[in-house]
Amino acid sequence: MKKVLLLCASPRPSGNTYQVLEECANAIEDEGLDIEIISFVGKNIRSCIACGRCGELNECSMNDGLNDIITKIRESEGFIVGAPVYFGTARGDVMSALQRIGMVSRASDNFLSWKVGGPIAVARRGGHTATIQEMLMFFFINDMIVPGSTYWNMVFGHAPGDVQNDDEGMQTIRRFGYNVANLIKKISE
């Protein structure tokens, strides 16, 4: 069965970003695809050191848990990244992870090429657009397919659970999940 991997770049278990990704995952499951949400809780993802060994290893030379995520991405047809915005843009560790994932893909077998997915940003007040733009570059430079939705993939919330009150944001995320799932199905026909 076709699968979509959702990466929750929040260090908070069951926080707003995780709740938004669950909403997206439910829409994907409703369309008959498998999903898995991987959380950054308890992970310490480091920045790329430009060692160049990913080409020979087909994985990252650093052992901080990212290679397990890379293996799951390789096995998936879709990849969605949700990031909280704490200080105007995506958290540093999510960008470090995306850069390393992209380096491994480009240095090895381009496993990201033609995967379907995109970014989701969750913030209290602002920084959504900058975060989406920053993460979107990862999807485009890796030859991935990013479907649209009814608005930008952003949801507002501060305290845990606040995102449930952003009806328009959650509707946008559900539609994005639906579009990801249906595009994967159409490509696979």
Side-chain angles (χ1 to χ4, degrees), residues 111-174:
F111 61 86
L112 291 171
S113 182
W114 277 73
K115 288 199 187 293
V116 178
I120 296 173
V122 180
R124 173 187 69 87
R125 189 60 142 169
H128 292 88
T129 305
T131 299
I132 287 173
Q133 290 171 338
E134 183 179 28
M135 292 193 305
L136 199 55
M137 295 302 164
F138 162 80
F139 290 89
F140 288 153
I141 199 170
N142 285 294
D143 196 29
M144 297 174 77
I145 302 168
V146 180
S149 186
T150 55
Y151 200 73
W152 311 126
N153 297 336
M154 58 178 67
V155 182
F156 288 85
H158 178 60
D162 279 355
V163 292
Q164 301 300 329
N165 299 321
D166 183 358
D167 293 333
E168 182 183 12
M170 292 300 255
Q171 178 59 39
T172 299
I173 297 308
R174 284 190 294 275

Side-chain angles (χ1 to χ4, degrees), residues 76-131:
S76 301
E77 287 72 34
F79 182 48
I80 295 171
V81 181
V85 179
Y86 296 151
F87 204 71
T89 61
R91 294 181 63 239
D93 58 353
V94 70
M95 293 314 299
S96 292
L98 293 180
Q99 290 164 6
R100 287 173 53 201
I101 293 165
M103 289 290 284
V104 172
S105 177
R106 292 170 60 102
S108 59
D109 58 352
N110 289 311
F111 61 86
L112 291 171
S113 182
W114 277 73
K115 288 199 187 293
V116 178
I120 296 173
V122 180
R124 173 187 69 87
R125 189 60 142 169
H128 292 88
T129 305
T131 299

Side-chain angles (χ1 to χ4, degrees), residues 33-53:
L33 277 68
D34 284 339
I35 61 93
E36 182 177 357
I37 301 175
I38 296 179
S39 173
F40 267 23
V41 172
K43 293 187 178 13
N44 185 17
I45 304 297
R46 299 180 308 183
S47 293
C48 180
I49 58 172
C51 68
R53 296 189 55 218

